[in-house]
Amino acid sequence: MTDYVELQVTSNFSFLRGASHPHELVLTASLLGHRAIAITDRNTLAGIVRAHDAARQAGIRLIVGARLDLRDGPSLLCFPTDRAAYGRLCRLLTLGRRRAPKGECLIDKADVYEHAEGQVLVAVPPDRIDYAFREDLDEYRRQFGRALYLAIGHHYRGDDSRRLHRLADLADSLGVPTVATNDVHYHVPARQRLQDVLTCIREKCTIREAGHRLFAHAERHLKYGTEMARILRGHEDALRRTVEIAERCTFSLDELRYEYPDEVTGDGRTPQQRLEQLVAAHAARRYPDGVPDKVAETIARELELVDQLSYASYFLTVHDIVRFAQSKGILCQGRGSAANSAICYALGITSVDPAKFDLLFERFVSAARNEPPDIDVDFEHERREEVMQYIYEKYGRHRAGLTATVIRYRARGALRDVGKALGLSADAVNALSGSVWGWGHAPLEDERAREAGLDPSDRTVRLTLDLAEELMGFPRHLSQHVGGFVITRGRLDEVVPVENAAMAGRTVIQWDKDDLDVLRMIKVDVLALGMLSCLRRGFDLLERHHGQRHTLFSIPQDDPATYEMLSRGDSIGVFQVESRAQMSMLPRLRPQTFYDLVIEVAIVRPGPIQGDMVHPYLRRRQGLEPIDTLSPELEPVLGRTLGVPIFQEQAMRIAIVAAGFTADEADRLRRSMAAFKKGGDLKPFQDKLLNGMLARGYDRSFAERCCRQLEGFGSYGFPESHAASFAQLVYVSAWLKCHFPDVFCAALLNAQPMGFYAPAQLVRDAREHGVEIRPPDVNRSDWDSTLEPADGRLCAVRLGLRLIRGLSRAEANLLLENRGDGYADPRDLWRRARLKAVSLALLADADAFRSMGLDRRQAAWAVRSLGEPPPALFAHVAGDHRPEPEVALPAMRLGEHVAQDYLSTSLSLKAHPMSLLREDLAPRGIVTAQEVGRVRPGRRIETAGLVLVRQQPGTASGVIFITIEDETGVANLICWPDVVREYRKAVLKAALLSVRGRVQRESGVTHIVCERLEDLTPLLRTLSDRDRTAGTRSPSLPRGDDPRASRPRQLPLWRSRDFR
Amino acid sequence: MTTPRFCERRYLALWLPRFPIELWERQDPSLRSRPFALTARLDGGIRLAAVNGMAAERGIAPGFSLTDARAIEPGIVIRDADPARDARALAALADWCTRFTPVVAIADADTLMLDITGCAHLWGGERGLLRDLLERLAGFGHDGRASIAPTPGAAWALARFDGRNGRIVAAGHPASLEQALAPLPVQALRLDPATASALDRVGLRRIGDLARLPAVPLARRFGETVVHRLRQARGEAPEPLTPYRPVPPHRVRAVFAEPLWRPEDVADATRRLLDRLCEDLRQRREGARRVTLDLIHVDGRADRLEIGTAAPSRRPDALMRLLAPRLGGADPGNGIEVMVLAAPVAEPLATAQAGLLSAADGTATEPEKLTDLVDRLDNRIGRVVRPEPTTSRIPERAVVLRPPFARTVGAAPSCWPLIVPRPHRLMIRPERIETVAEVPDGPPVMFLWRGTAYRVRVADGPERLSPEWWDAADDGRAPRDYYRIEDVAGRRFWVFRHGLFETGSRVPDWYLHGFFA
């Protein structure tokens, strides 16, 4: 076999050029018997870690490299020979990327010359070998000397022998050695089709138009060394030099040594000393009555491990970020496995008290694992940017960067792009891609094509489906990770190229979090959480209006009223437990303690649901099923969850104590559980677990159940520590809702959009809890919703101007700044605040002039006459003051008001739309949601309401859950797949839905299992014609047959929130 | 109500609510029995622009997204709306309507406005004209809604919004016009949606609501347009029509009791019309620079033939020579019932005139000469074509033959690679040859073609060309390896091996495909 190393390889990280994943290329090279392979993507190292990882597994060597496409010279393949040269390559790419718009790279010859030390460079000849190329090559030779090679290859162009000859002559005359390459774009010839399609997508043309932009044949794949030797007969030197270069370029990504930033100490002490000192100081503050022994012990043990693994700087870095946030009054809380650490608790990074919890520090940091810990911190979503800019400022952009996220083709985009490239009509492409639901990781079924009205046996449709499936998972572009920061001691841009993010002021590295994991690099996740913003606003209001000062940690613990409220399922707006599934779980679980909340958060998850843990746990909790007598070693593991494993940590512990896994094996088990959804293999671990448990004398059925439950974790399991962090926020938000529903409502409204419910439900819920809600008003409202004094203990909530659809912040500010003691009339407002005509109309539509004694129609009439704002100088004289004749406008019906309220603010305080439609519904035997609650289970009823939420959980195999609302309350609907199929349009599209079905009730939670549905949305359009008193419907306008002649504005009155 | 300040005229508005759909259905009658819709790109998505009756019955309406429509009726037939085509068809219908009156205006994308003042008596009154119009339209497959009123605004409003089709507001009764308009929604005043919705906001929904209000506050709030439209509809403000085709100064018309369908009859009629037109021109001492002939068919189609002359002319024979070839190309279809010949552009003409398009005439422009040449070549030798490069990499598909003046479609001619030469002569069908060649991909050492052996002296290649896999005809085909070869006698050939040599499989065939100079 001839030794050959392929040095010119384009993977699919050269977006829309390469047609194979890096691992496919590496694996194929290894199967072909190559000892090494280079990956040379265009001006990027984004795919290099995948290739590195694959090469490590395949047992061949990866030659790190990139193809440099220059603005002013022939392309060069660049291979760093050592760590320093690699750093220079990274800096070169960073330079080119930072000066270009996102996704592009601008490099000149001169830039390469500056970074050439230690690189091996291979010049790539252009299509046509001319004098200019000779000049360029000569210049390269003078610059790079013996580091320069010239790539030659046999590309079945027809003129190859002459071309090879010319290149060899040229190389000879300049003294540049040639080196053989095959300019590989895919690992096997079968990928030619996909490569052609990628070319079309890149060139934005169809395959029939692409012509010679496509490669003429399928030869750009990896080949055997013997084959390369055959087609390049006579150029044996060039073949031999591939190996020579491979041997020269020994740099491996394994040499990248991650080092923590060190300025966090700065006073001569070691990071460890500094950490120990900080922990001691903070722990004393956390436990004013003295640090409990158990905690002190845990801290000591953790510090020892941290010292041993030298992670102190990392903790200090995170602490520094958290300290910054706290100093600015930004609420934050660590989540994830970090909550397993007493140090993190002491430092204020997390809020799960180690005195109350059994922490599994090994889940967070483990000596055996030799893997960096992962600290994720949530910040208020509105102020996270401040934290990020602090990090950039403190460490500099050359040392701190955001992690990338590789955006990959999913079904929809793949179908769209492939369909377009193959020349399907825009209509067919849309139909096809539009028929994909949800995230679309699932393979594309013929069914989808048929649904879209296309024939899957048609050749082009067939090709589209097949190639789209092949394309799925291909990287499309790099985006920024939600908040993963990498911070280094030395220059970050010598570790990985850094590029511009789409958002101004952000820079992103070329690797994503999996890449960092492979290289064991640490990142700090600076995440955004809406609930924290909401709680901070809540604390502010609480202090201002109720005189109580609170933080996340000062809320009274174990408050019975709060638990009582949650046990009723009264949880609209409460963090994490407001979803319908959670709401129906609460009355069954009846949480009494903080730990019950931890379980509540973790149990309504796809993992536990699929692993069949929910029902055993509930039955045991309700005393309907005996709790297994646990062996002494399992008692501490499963005791607190009644023998049912609910958390990831428990699965790991069972494996260790009951099946004899080492800590390392248990961790690999956890990882394969996480990878299971990506097709990882859990079977060997399951076998080992089963056999281990049987060997230790465990009951077979118990052991089998444990194995089955592990599968569930694969899909989505919650670590206990994470659940505990979230449970903390559940408790705090529930406490606020329970005791200060006024504050809670205002805070939630101001933190919108977030959570599960629209403002209409939040307002309704607050009213049901005795809070008075007042409408937005030009003389009373702020931008945000505010609290106003009211009778009784609670304040009234004054809705803010932010609820008015379309009103801009800037215009609202004008109104607020000039308000003074209030505006006397619309003209006064117009004159002093100088609002645009459109803003005045929006305010009138929102019925916000009531304080002037004008209803929305009178206000609309008044503001219509004002026109654009007067010029500032003439504000006092401007406007047409001629008196106008009095005009009698038709009075507005309640229905019109309600409809306009919804159009303008998505809610109405005047009446519920359903109450006005009731006169039409009652005769049809349609009952209210309240009545549904009173019906005996098993009975059939018909009810109707506005659709609040639609959900299609991935775990529920096609079942759709719908929540509808009428003037008396909500009803929960379950639509089984056959019903969904039959009433698809009503299920998916209706805004007002009528449903007939059977009532089901469990633990006080009522569901309706739908049998028949009807879309009553057209009825909503008659809302405007209705009034409070029945039978006062006015005759409709003649419509002719012109669809445009119906009501002028056909905005949907009501839009549901859909989750799928 | 004030008395109209202008001489009372009569307007007929014709609204075609389903015009685009009906055009498709006329073309393909099977669409009538299937749910069918036209789509357009709107609001950032594909939405239905129009639906047919079957689709409407199933609850599908214009404005639906395509996905929604498919969810309801997966089998719905979808075509792209083509507003340009619809506009052309409407223009043709406007031409057809000149059978009723010369003043026909296109009011908007689906409405025609006819000034029928003084025309109705030919049809036994307005009712008769209306009935004739609607019946004929129905015969073409068009559903029309028409109304006659003293103002274009009122006619437009009533055609669309009065539930009864064929409403006629009597002449000279301002009160009945007022009464007819009052219950109609304000949109009937042709207001933009923003204004209509602003009016709705203050509870002003019907024309009657507006009519009650003083004009000044109304105009201040909703713009002068509202008041102006209202006044136009009521006949208080003038609204001149802009006819779709300016009524040309020279215009002659013939209506046939028996539709003409034999080409010679059409030619005869044309010739007679030309005589009349030229006589008209002569009297005014003018000559035509452009002549149009409208052929209005019984099925509502209207063809327009148009010729231009290099210099003013009023000789019927000369004009007939120019028109005759076009007449030959016109399809009389089911018969022509009206012909209108006109000279829209005419210039003063002296007594003497030069010959037209004669060889001696130096006024013909270069392109005209070329056309002339091509026409002659075509007549004498046969089909004249022009080879044009296309984007295919398969040699026999890389060139298409196109009519000489057809515009290039698709890719630019530069889509040919210039790296490797192509033969000067390409055989229409590659011919099988027997070869002796080195495996797997060496060039032939010698080959046998049409019984003669050729010994190869030098060869270059291979150039490998994959089949065009996206083409059904190429599915599963093998790639070709092309070689340029020269035999010992200096003859140069382009040969290829069809398929790659793989051990165990069939030995690939060789073909001769072209010759180099």
Side-chain angles (χ1 to χ4, degrees), chain A residues 44-49 83 86-95 97 251 253 256 258 397-404 478 486-488 491-499 508-512 515-516 519 521:
Chain A
T44 183
L45 290 173
I48 208 77
V49 182
R83 172 68 182 88
Y86 172 78
R88 279 186 283 276
L89 174 58
C90 289
R91 284 184 72 162
L92 173 62
L93 292 174
T94 302
L95 180 74
R97 293 267 171 189
F251 170 73
L253 289 178
L256 294 183
Y258 180 75
R397 276 168 200 281
H398 59 293
R399 291 179 48 209
L402 271 174
T403 311
L478 291 187
V486 177
I487 306 169
T488 48
R491 296 187 66 100
L492 179 62
D493 58 5
E494 288 184 352
V495 176
V496 54
V498 179
E499 54 184 77
V508 176
I509 64 170
Q510 287 190 335
W511 293 340
D512 75 357
D515 295 334
L516 296 178
L519 298 176
M521 288 176 63

Side-chain angles (χ1 to χ4, degrees), chain A residues 983-1004:
Chain A
Y983 299 101
R984 197 174 165 83
K985 175 160 182 284
V987 169
L988 299 182
K989 296 286 174 201
L992 173 55
L993 191 62
S994 157
V995 52
R996 190 179 163 70
R998 201 183 286 277
V999 173
Q1000 241 181 29
R1001 191 169 297 122
E1002 199 181 336
S1003 302

